[in-house]
Amino acid sequence: MEYLKAFLVGGAICMVGQILIDKTKLTPARILVCFVVLGVILGGAGVYEKLVDFAGAGATVPLTGFGYNLSKGVREAVLEDGLLGALTGGLKAAAGGITAAMVFGFLAALLFDPKDKA
């Protein structure tokens, strides 16, 4: 049942993104930024945590989960370090994901020969 919940919630989040790409003039980059910001807002309000408890990886893997992770890190760091935690908490919480994206992006740039669409 856990896998089904993760699939349904993660699929619904991705479906919303695909509908926004197909039906609006928003660029994919703007939609991705909106998803991260939405995750931060819902995480800060305490709503996204309930979704994570329900769906697990279905809620944490999409970009909204990255935003939630940032807000969670900031909240914890502010409680520990005060105002300075507002600046450092998000990066500490997301350091693993950011590092992985940089390393794999670098490896992809080395291994493949990117070309323009035109």
Side-chain angles (χ1 to χ4, degrees), residues 41-107:
I41 292 169
L42 293 176
V47 175
Y48 205 80
E49 191 165 350
K50 293 176 180 146
L51 188 62
V52 169
D53 291 340
F54 174 76
T60 58
V61 170
L63 281 173
T64 49
F66 179 71
Y68 161 72
N69 193 24
L70 289 174
S71 69
K72 184 177 164 188
V74 168
R75 186 179 333 122
E76 291 171 0
V78 165
L79 292 175
E80 289 178 13
D81 304 329
L83 188 57
L84 183 62
L87 302 174
T88 61
L91 289 176
K92 283 183 184 177
I98 293 169
T99 302
M102 290 173 58
V103 168
F104 290 123
F106 178 73
L107 290 175

Side-chain angles (χ1 to χ4, degrees), residues 11-31:
I13 292 170
C14 294
M15 182 180 69
V16 169
Q18 189 63 49
I19 289 170
L20 289 172
I21 289 171
D22 292 342
K23 301 294 182 184
T24 68
K25 293 185 184 226
L26 291 172
T27 63
R30 287 186 177 162
I31 293 168

